[in-house]
Amino acid sequence: MDISRRRWLAAAAGAPWALPAFAEQGSQHRAWPRQRATPSLQLPALDGTTWSLAAARGKPVLLNWWASWCEPCRAEMPSLQQLAAQHQGQGLQVMAVNFKEGEHAVRKFLGATGLSLPVLYDRDGAAAKSFGVRIFPSTVGIDRQGRARFVVTGEVDWAGADARRWVAALL
């Protein structure tokens, strides 16, 4: 049995060492549960500011949890950046929420890839936990009223038809 399958089985069984995991194949889109409130979010940004979901009200937001060690995260970043540029005029904010990595690792990754999305730091993983993120990458779509509408786990081509439909619902 390969390592990724063992890790997945361990995560499914609830083994804490197996989490977080990363999605290796495909993605899963699901609606945010109606009865579940959208958690508040305020995180430090790479540029030294603090970003909050409350301050973004009135704009649609995609919160993408990622890590530089996560291959599916790395693979989807270019299409996320393209999506952000394409919908900037419509107010879409695409926020790359880094999971538990230091500034050096993040800056090294950005320098190597040319990624220019705004980066937020989830230094202790508390934000991921509050949004139920356990698989990387995971993206939460937030509407203009500040309500979470969907979660996508796994690598996504954000230029694809499904993603365009998900984002259109936020815009």
Side-chain angles (χ1 to χ4, degrees):
M1 182 181 313
D2 68 31
I3 292 172
S4 61
R5 181 158 169 73
R6 279 189 298 220
R7 186 176 184 153
W8 183 86
L9 289 171
W17 60 266
L19 300 174
F22 62 90
E24 291 189 23
Q25 295 183 354
S27 62
Q28 179 185 15
H29 175 273
R30 67 183 190 285
W32 187 266
R34 289 182 187 256
Q35 70 279 10
R36 185 172 178 209
T38 303
S40 60
L41 182 67
Q42 185 170 330
L43 292 172
L46 179 65
D47 67 6
T49 63
T50 298
W51 186 89
S52 77
L53 189 53
R57 185 167 240 161
K59 296 179 180 180
V61 175
L62 287 179
L63 298 170
N64 175 264
W65 270 268
W66 67 283
S68 65
W69 48 259
C70 166
E71 284 302 319
C73 300
R74 296 169 68 98
E76 83 171 351
M77 284 291 187
S79 69
L80 263 176
Q81 185 159 296
Q82 181 181 14
L83 178 77
Q86 181 181 359
H87 294 290
Q88 183 178 10
Q90 295 165 294
L92 180 65
Q93 291 188 349
V94 178
M95 308 304 290
V97 185
N98 181 265
F99 182 76
K100 291 184 163 184
E101 291 185 289
E103 184 175 345
H104 176 73
V106 170
R107 287 193 185 278
K108 182 177 176 183
F109 172 77
L110 295 177
T113 62
L115 181 71
S116 62
L117 289 171
V119 175
L120 305 176
Y121 288 109
D122 186 3
R123 289 188 173 118
D124 60 3
K129 185 175 181 179
S130 71
F131 277 86
V133 171
R134 296 176 14 191
I135 294 173
F136 297 97
S138 283
T139 304
V140 178
I142 313 260
D143 67 17
R144 292 178 186 274
Q145 290 74 43
R147 293 182 304 229
R149 292 298 184 182
F150 64 81
V151 178
V152 181
T153 55
E155 179 185 336
V156 172
D157 174 5
W158 289 97
D162 287 339
R164 286 194 309 267
R165 193 173 63 254
W166 304 331
V167 172
L170 298 178
L171 298 174

